[in-house]
Amino acid sequence: MASWIDPDFPRTATPSDLVGRVLGLNPGMMTGPGTNTYLIGRRDPILIDTGIGVDGYLPLLERYLGERGWARPARVLLTHRHVDHLGGVAHLRERFPGLPVAKMLHRDTNLPDGIEDVREGQTIEGDEVTLEPIHTPGHASDHLCYYLREEKALFTGDVVLSGSTTVIPSGDGDLGDYLSSLRRLQRLDLERIYPAHGPVIEDAQGRLAEYIEHRLMRERQILDALDAGVDTIPAMVKRIYVDVSEKLHPVAAQSVESHLKKLAREGRATEEIVRDAPSRWRLA
Ligand SMILES: [Zn+2]
């Protein structure tokens, strides 16, 4: 996993004529090199995501805006409510008064004030660019990807990452929804992916197929574990995630739980709740 947190990942980049990228400067185990924020359009760029709100981000963004001859972002679109995507909103609004900020308003608690709603079915016009929001729950119930028509490209937020798989958090995450979201994205006329973490993905369809196959492989491993009588989440994590750092086992446990919940919903596994101990799972 060390390469996922790439210290040499460029802080700013211009991956295409219509897309600029400024790094959120929040590297870590969950964020890789940090959260990517994207500036889209020929002028008056639309900013997708804002990073977590570290002090160095705004000067970096302003330097990049200056290099492109831009004064400010026209507006902000958020992919979802996680703090490494919207934590920078306050700093941006302070620096650029009146800056509109929008996300899909859905089961939110603790959002900054004055965030506007945006949903699938709308289109957002920028300068020579058109973005279409696509509701893609699974990692987060409010998650939007944004399809850039002019490039057949998709800003995937945390639905597809570069260099890691997506976490399905217990609570707001849902593996069944996640797989449905990936399958919907497969039906887009899609060439390139701009993920919220890591470099541009040129083989969009290949990556979507890999992501689905990865989950199906994990599901098979979990069914095998259940079949072998391995019946608790901690025991399954130990058995399945042998090649993953133990530091990530708590995250892996959330992933196993999301698989088991999906299997239970499909009538393929049952949960026996045990007092003061992990639940016992069985094949149905
Ligand atoms: Zn997220």
Side-chain angles (χ1 to χ4, degrees):
M1 295 299 275
S3 61
W4 159 237
I5 311 174
D6 175 8
D8 298 323
F9 192 78
R11 298 179 143 216
T12 60
T14 306
S16 82
D17 283 359
L18 298 174
V19 179
R21 187 180 73 206
V22 178
L23 188 60
L25 304 177
N26 54 321
M29 215 159 60
M30 302 302 292
T31 56
T35 306
N36 291 323
T37 75
Y38 291 101
L39 291 151
I40 300 127
R42 267 207 212 274
R43 287 166 306 166
D44 304 318
I46 297 168
L47 177 64
I48 293 186
D49 285 340
T50 68
I52 198 168
V54 302
D55 285 339
Y57 172 71
L58 209 50
L60 186 64
L61 175 73
E62 290 199 72
R63 204 185 72 204
Y64 183 77
L65 290 170
E67 284 168 18
R68 300 292 304 266
W70 295 333
R72 55 180 279 164
R75 59 181 301 173
V76 175
L77 297 173
L78 300 171
T79 54
H80 63 300
R81 66 171 81 85
H82 291 163
V83 68
D84 61 313
H85 298 258
L86 65 65
V89 165
H91 286 166
L92 280 160
R93 282 170 155 175
E94 226 169 80
R95 177 66 189 82
F96 305 113
L99 182 69
V101 180
K103 74 181 279 301
M104 181 176 174
L105 299 179
H106 181 73
R107 297 188 201 161
D108 294 301
T109 52
N110 270 327
L111 272 193
D113 288 338
I115 296 206
E116 295 161 23
D117 190 33
V118 62
R119 17 200 88 218
E120 178 165 333
Q122 300 177 330
T123 52
I124 298 133
E125 306 283 344
D127 189 55
E128 295 185 34
V129 289
T130 314
L131 290 169
E132 299 172 18
I134 302 171
H135 186 213
T136 41
H139 167 75
S141 60
D142 66 334
H143 199 292
L144 293 178
C145 292
Y146 295 95
Y147 182 71
L148 173 57
R149 237 184 243 171
E150 289 74 9
E151 283 191 10
K152 298 181 182 177
L154 190 70
F155 296 88
T156 53
D158 283 352
V159 172
V160 178
L161 309 177
S162 201
S164 176
T165 55
T166 296
V167 175
I168 308 299
S170 37
D172 193 43
D174 184 302
L175 185 65
D177 287 352
Y178 182 67
L179 284 166
S180 306
S181 292
L182 291 177
R183 290 190 173 114
R184 281 193 69 206
L185 296 181
Q186 283 187 308
R187 295 198 286 272
L188 293 173
D189 184 8
L190 193 59
E191 287 173 3
R192 154 182 267 214
I193 285 174
Y194 294 106
H197 304 275
V200 176
I201 296 164
E202 298 295 351
D203 177 16
Q205 290 296 348
R207 186 62 58 96
L208 288 170
E210 267 173 41
Y211 257 47
I212 291 170
E213 178 45 42
H214 174 78
R215 297 293 167 170
L216 296 179
M217 185 244 334
R218 286 282 186 242
E219 183 166 280
R220 285 193 298 272
Q221 290 174 324
I222 287 165
L223 289 168
D224 285 350
L226 289 169
D227 197 40
V230 178
D231 62 355
T232 67
I233 292 176
M236 286 183 219
V237 169
K238 265 210 180 111
R239 173 186 162 113
I240 295 169
Y241 291 81
V242 277
D243 55 343
V244 170
S245 153
E246 277 195 21
K247 272 195 254 170
L248 288 168
H249 280 191
V251 180
Q254 293 188 42
S255 184
V256 171
E257 186 184 350
S258 68
H259 276 281
L260 289 166
K261 280 189 190 156
K262 173 177 173 286
L263 291 170
R265 251 197 325 273
E266 293 166 355
R268 299 160 73 192
T270 56
E271 176 180 14
E272 180 198 337
I273 294 170
V274 183
R275 237 181 120 175
D276 302 325
S279 287
R280 290 216 181 89
W281 291 85
R282 280 189 191 83
L283 289 175

Short mmCIF file of all heavy atoms in Angstrom, two decimals, residues 12 14 16 23 34 39 45 59 77 90 95 104 120-121 156 164 171 208 218 227 238 241 253 255 264 279:
data_model
loop_
_atom_site.label_atom_id
_atom_site.label_comp_id
_atom_site.label_asym_id
_atom_site.label_seq_id
_atom_site.Cartn_x
_atom_site.Cartn_y
_atom_site.Cartn_z
N THR A 12 -0.05 20.08 -8.75
CA THR A 12 -1.00 20.60 -9.74
C THR A 12 -0.70 19.91 -11.06
O THR A 12 0.43 19.46 -11.28
CB THR A 12 -0.88 22.12 -9.94
OG1 THR A 12 0.44 22.42 -10.40
CG2 THR A 12 -1.15 22.88 -8.66
N THR A 14 -2.36 19.58 -15.46
CA THR A 14 -3.37 19.94 -16.45
C THR A 14 -3.56 18.73 -17.35
O THR A 14 -2.96 18.65 -18.41
CB THR A 14 -2.92 21.19 -17.24
OG1 THR A 14 -2.62 22.23 -16.29
CG2 THR A 14 -4.02 21.69 -18.17
N SER A 16 -5.91 17.75 -19.26
CA SER A 16 -6.46 17.98 -20.61
C SER A 16 -6.75 19.47 -20.77
O SER A 16 -6.67 20.24 -19.81
CB SER A 16 -7.74 17.17 -20.83
OG SER A 16 -8.85 17.86 -20.28
N LEU A 23 -4.09 19.41 -5.96
CA LEU A 23 -4.12 18.39 -4.91
C LEU A 23 -4.54 19.00 -3.57
O LEU A 23 -4.11 20.10 -3.21
CB LEU A 23 -2.72 17.78 -4.82
CG LEU A 23 -2.53 16.56 -3.92
CD1 LEU A 23 -3.42 15.40 -4.36
CD2 LEU A 23 -1.06 16.12 -3.95
N GLY A 34 -3.64 12.26 -1.48
CA GLY A 34 -4.50 13.37 -1.06
C GLY A 34 -5.72 13.41 -1.96
O GLY A 34 -5.80 12.67 -2.94
N LEU A 39 -10.61 21.49 -11.81
CA LEU A 39 -11.12 22.74 -12.39
C LEU A 39 -11.49 22.47 -13.83
O LEU A 39 -10.63 22.06 -14.63
CB LEU A 39 -10.06 23.83 -12.29
CG LEU A 39 -9.79 24.29 -10.85
CD1 LEU A 39 -8.37 24.78 -10.69
CD2 LEU A 39 -10.78 25.38 -10.44
N PRO A 45 -13.71 28.42 -14.41
CA PRO A 45 -13.81 26.97 -14.20
C PRO A 45 -14.76 26.59 -13.06
O PRO A 45 -14.91 27.31 -12.09
CB PRO A 45 -12.38 26.58 -13.84
CG PRO A 45 -11.79 27.81 -13.24
CD PRO A 45 -12.39 28.95 -14.01
N PRO A 59 -3.56 28.70 -1.20
CA PRO A 59 -2.46 29.30 -1.96
C PRO A 59 -2.08 28.49 -3.20
O PRO A 59 -1.79 29.05 -4.26
CB PRO A 59 -1.28 29.30 -0.96
CG PRO A 59 -1.91 29.19 0.39
CD PRO A 59 -3.22 28.48 0.21
N LEU A 77 -18.87 22.19 -7.13
CA LEU A 77 -19.74 21.01 -7.06
C LEU A 77 -19.05 19.98 -6.18
O LEU A 77 -17.84 19.75 -6.34
CB LEU A 77 -19.94 20.41 -8.46
CG LEU A 77 -20.63 21.29 -9.51
CD1 LEU A 77 -20.58 20.58 -10.87
CD2 LEU A 77 -22.07 21.57 -9.10
N ALA A 90 -15.30 26.25 3.61
CA ALA A 90 -15.26 27.49 4.40
C ALA A 90 -14.13 28.42 3.93
O ALA A 90 -14.36 29.62 3.71
CB ALA A 90 -15.09 27.16 5.89
N ARG A 95 -12.42 33.31 0.86
CA ARG A 95 -11.54 33.91 -0.13
C ARG A 95 -12.31 34.41 -1.36
O ARG A 95 -11.95 35.41 -1.97
CB ARG A 95 -10.48 32.87 -0.54
CG ARG A 95 -9.52 33.30 -1.62
CD ARG A 95 -8.63 34.44 -1.14
NE ARG A 95 -7.85 34.98 -2.25
CZ ARG A 95 -8.32 35.86 -3.14
NH1 ARG A 95 -9.56 36.31 -3.05
NH2 ARG A 95 -7.54 36.29 -4.11
N MET A 104 -25.61 16.92 -3.87
CA MET A 104 -26.91 16.29 -3.74
C MET A 104 -27.28 16.28 -2.26
O MET A 104 -26.57 15.69 -1.45
CB MET A 104 -26.86 14.85 -4.27
CG MET A 104 -28.21 14.16 -4.17
SD MET A 104 -28.14 12.52 -4.89
CE MET A 104 -29.78 11.95 -4.45
N GLU A 120 -29.16 14.17 -10.23
CA GLU A 120 -29.17 13.52 -11.53
C GLU A 120 -30.37 14.01 -12.34
O GLU A 120 -31.45 14.21 -11.79
CB GLU A 120 -29.25 12.00 -11.34
CG GLU A 120 -29.32 11.28 -12.65
CD GLU A 120 -29.04 9.79 -12.55
OE1 GLU A 120 -28.32 9.36 -11.63
OE2 GLU A 120 -29.54 9.06 -13.41
N GLY A 121 -30.17 14.20 -13.63
CA GLY A 121 -31.23 14.71 -14.48
C GLY A 121 -31.00 16.17 -14.84
O GLY A 121 -31.49 16.66 -15.85
N THR A 156 -15.19 10.59 -10.82
CA THR A 156 -15.82 9.49 -10.06
C THR A 156 -15.83 9.71 -8.57
O THR A 156 -16.36 8.87 -7.84
CB THR A 156 -15.11 8.15 -10.34
OG1 THR A 156 -13.71 8.32 -10.09
CG2 THR A 156 -15.36 7.67 -11.75
N SER A 164 -6.22 2.02 -5.31
CA SER A 164 -6.82 1.40 -4.13
C SER A 164 -8.25 1.01 -4.49
O SER A 164 -8.75 1.37 -5.55
CB SER A 164 -6.82 2.39 -2.97
OG SER A 164 -7.49 1.83 -1.85
N GLY A 171 -22.94 1.55 7.98
CA GLY A 171 -23.79 2.72 8.20
C GLY A 171 -24.30 3.21 6.87
O GLY A 171 -25.23 2.65 6.30
N LEU A 208 -13.58 -0.33 -14.50
CA LEU A 208 -14.90 -0.67 -13.93
C LEU A 208 -15.07 -2.18 -13.86
O LEU A 208 -15.54 -2.71 -12.85
CB LEU A 208 -16.02 -0.04 -14.78
CG LEU A 208 -16.15 1.48 -14.67
CD1 LEU A 208 -17.12 2.00 -15.74
CD2 LEU A 208 -16.64 1.90 -13.28
N ARG A 218 -14.07 -11.15 -3.66
CA ARG A 218 -14.20 -11.07 -2.20
C ARG A 218 -15.45 -11.84 -1.75
O ARG A 218 -15.42 -12.52 -0.73
CB ARG A 218 -14.33 -9.61 -1.75
CG ARG A 218 -13.03 -8.85 -1.81
CD ARG A 218 -12.14 -9.18 -0.63
NE ARG A 218 -10.96 -8.33 -0.60
CZ ARG A 218 -9.71 -8.78 -0.70
NH1 ARG A 218 -9.46 -10.08 -0.81
NH2 ARG A 218 -8.70 -7.93 -0.67
N ASP A 227 -18.36 -21.41 4.39
CA ASP A 227 -18.45 -22.84 4.11
C ASP A 227 -17.46 -23.63 4.97
O ASP A 227 -17.73 -24.75 5.39
CB ASP A 227 -18.16 -23.06 2.62
CG ASP A 227 -18.62 -24.43 2.16
OD1 ASP A 227 -19.70 -24.86 2.60
OD2 ASP A 227 -17.90 -25.07 1.37
N LYS A 238 -8.93 -11.97 9.05
CA LYS A 238 -7.60 -12.63 9.19
C LYS A 238 -7.35 -13.60 8.07
O LYS A 238 -6.24 -13.71 7.55
CB LYS A 238 -7.55 -13.38 10.53
CG LYS A 238 -6.91 -12.56 11.62
CD LYS A 238 -6.21 -13.45 12.63
CE LYS A 238 -5.59 -12.56 13.70
NZ LYS A 238 -6.26 -12.69 14.98
N TYR A 241 -7.67 -11.24 4.31
CA TYR A 241 -6.81 -10.07 4.06
C TYR A 241 -5.38 -10.32 4.51
O TYR A 241 -4.77 -9.48 5.16
CB TYR A 241 -7.39 -8.82 4.74
CG TYR A 241 -8.68 -8.35 4.09
CD1 TYR A 241 -9.90 -8.94 4.38
CD2 TYR A 241 -8.66 -7.32 3.14
CE1 TYR A 241 -11.07 -8.52 3.76
CE2 TYR A 241 -9.82 -6.89 2.52
CZ TYR A 241 -11.02 -7.49 2.83
OH TYR A 241 -12.17 -7.07 2.21
N ALA A 253 -12.70 -4.96 7.86
CA ALA A 253 -13.84 -5.50 8.60
C ALA A 253 -15.14 -4.84 8.13
O ALA A 253 -16.17 -5.50 7.99
CB ALA A 253 -13.65 -5.28 10.10
N SER A 255 -15.65 -3.75 5.17
CA SER A 255 -15.91 -4.29 3.85
C SER A 255 -16.55 -5.68 3.96
O SER A 255 -17.53 -5.99 3.27
CB SER A 255 -14.59 -4.34 3.09
OG SER A 255 -14.80 -4.76 1.79
N ALA A 264 -26.96 -11.48 3.37
CA ALA A 264 -28.14 -11.69 4.23
C ALA A 264 -29.40 -11.18 3.53
O ALA A 264 -30.44 -11.83 3.54
CB ALA A 264 -27.94 -11.00 5.57
N SER A 279 -20.93 -11.12 16.08
CA SER A 279 -22.01 -11.96 15.54
C SER A 279 -21.42 -13.21 14.88
O SER A 279 -20.31 -13.18 14.35
CB SER A 279 -22.78 -11.20 14.47
OG SER A 279 -23.57 -10.21 15.04
#
